[in-house]
């Protein structure tokens, strides 16, 4: 069986939904930004509340296992009330936990997710143990015996283990999927270039891609219009800038606008698969891990892999929780059969 190890974060997520949240859009000549706001100094009723596990390491490991892969995870937690919840979550989920790191003196990661009436979210997070991984805590022997290493965003001190892990995986001919995080990207393109060079698949959202490349996606103005393009020329430029090796596939997700990919010859665009949006938390993890899993397991072309990933991501956003709604390959294929008009476009 194809073996996968995920490296990333593990958290307890508390979801708070409030119908009184305001979405404020602020636009300048160069960009538009959206903000969630509440009345300052007021007491606001919560319309919905729930808790679940989350974090890139957990979300992607759960997805790979659900897709039928022999899956193990590397993440760090404490020995506390929240760590018990995380460990209990994995009962019956076919994820090997022999490689997790658990320390008495650490606190387990914790997040409060503010969900808007549009389904999007703002996350308040306490990194805890997620930001405290040391290189000597990593089981390199387990990495050597795997087929695919999936790296979710790492933060704080944990970011320092990225480069040696990637170097080790490359030396042992292990395929690498890299979902870059802001901690790495804020250090500049030169910092992540060696990691990018080793990765076979690189997935970023548009904001992360802009941070990595320094390229800003220009909005339409009176004199320049880009909205008629299948793929914005600035997005194409980002895709080309991020591709540093011939064997790589670069993917940029753009939320409700869809997803773009580049393999060195062709540009791909895929719209989101239709679904009701309840919460977008976990959508990126579901998309990126499903895309990598589809290429590894199914051997499909990039366009079809984007479709599979979009279907699974759409299922996740229709549920309230980062690991809820995950589909098997068979369920994804059934949804695609029911929507045979859904496809990707070459841009």
């Amino acid at each position: 069986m194809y073996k996968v190890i995920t490296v990333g974060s593990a958290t307890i997520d508390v979801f708070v939904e409030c119908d009184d949240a305001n979405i404020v859009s602020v636009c300048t000549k160069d960009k538009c930004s959206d903000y969630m706001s509440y009345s300052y100094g007021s007491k606001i009723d919560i319309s919905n509340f729930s808790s679940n596990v989350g974090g890139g390491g957990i979300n992607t490991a759960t997805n790979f296992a659900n897709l039928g892969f022999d899956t193990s995870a590397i993440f760090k937690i404490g020995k506390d009330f929240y760590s018990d919840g995380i460990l209990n979550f994995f009962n019956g989920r076919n994820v090997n936990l022999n490689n997790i790191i658990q320390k008495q003196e650490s606190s387990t990661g914790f997040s409060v997710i503010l969900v808007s009436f549009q389904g999007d979210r703002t996350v308040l997070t306490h990194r805890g143990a997620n930001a405290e991984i040391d290189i000597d805590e990593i089981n390199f022997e387990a990495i050597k015996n795997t087929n695919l290493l999936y790296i979710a965003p790492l933060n704080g001190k944990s970011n320092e283990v990225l480069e040696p892990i990637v170097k080790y995986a490359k030396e042992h001919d292990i395929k690498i999927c890299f979902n870059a995080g802001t901690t790495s990207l804020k250090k500049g393109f030169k910092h992540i270039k060696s990691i990018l060079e080793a990765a076979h698949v690189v997935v970023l959202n548009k904001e992360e891609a802009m941070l990595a490349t320094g390229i800003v996606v220009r909005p339409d103005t009176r004199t320049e219009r880009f909205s008629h393009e299948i793929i914005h020329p600035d997005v194409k430029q980002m895709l080309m800038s991020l591709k540093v090796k011939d064997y790589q596939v670069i993917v940029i997700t753009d939320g409700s606008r869809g997803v773009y990919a580049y393999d060195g010859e062709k540009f791909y665009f895929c719209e989101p698969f239709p679904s009701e949006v309840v919460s977008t938390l976990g959508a990126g993890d579901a998309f990126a891990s499903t895309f990598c899993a589809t290429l590894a397991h199914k051997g499909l072309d990039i366009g079809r892999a984007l479709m599979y990933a979009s279907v699974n991501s759409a299922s996740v956003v229709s549920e309230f929780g980062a690991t809820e709604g995950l589909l098997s390959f068979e369920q994804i294929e059934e949804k695609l059969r029911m929507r045979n008009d859904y496809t990707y476009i070459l841009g």
Side-chain angles (χ1 to χ4, degrees), residues 25-35 216-221:
S25 296
V26 178
C27 292
T28 66
K29 180 181 177 182
D30 296 324
K31 66 176 182 177
C32 291
S33 301
D34 294 327
Y35 300 88
V216 176
V217 178
R218 295 163 291 172
D220 287 353
T221 66

Side-chain angles (χ1 to χ4, degrees), residues 4-13 53-66 71-77 86 89-90 93-97 99-100 127 130 133 149-155 177 179 282 284-286 288-289 322-323 326:
V4 176
I5 286 184
T6 69
V7 182
S9 59
T11 66
I12 290 291
D13 292 336
V53 301
I58 285 181
N59 296 343
T60 55
T62 304
N63 189 35
F64 278 113
N66 193 62
T71 306
S72 184
I74 297 175
F75 55 76
K76 188 171 184 176
I77 55 177
I86 287 174
F89 166 81
F90 282 105
R93 293 185 184 269
N94 296 319
V95 175
N96 185 319
L97 299 181
N99 301 308
I100 69 167
R127 305 291 184 189
N130 294 313
I133 299 175
L149 178 67
Y150 182 98
I151 301 176
L154 294 171
N155 298 280
C177 291
N179 185 3
D285 290 329
S289 53
T323 58
L326 290 170

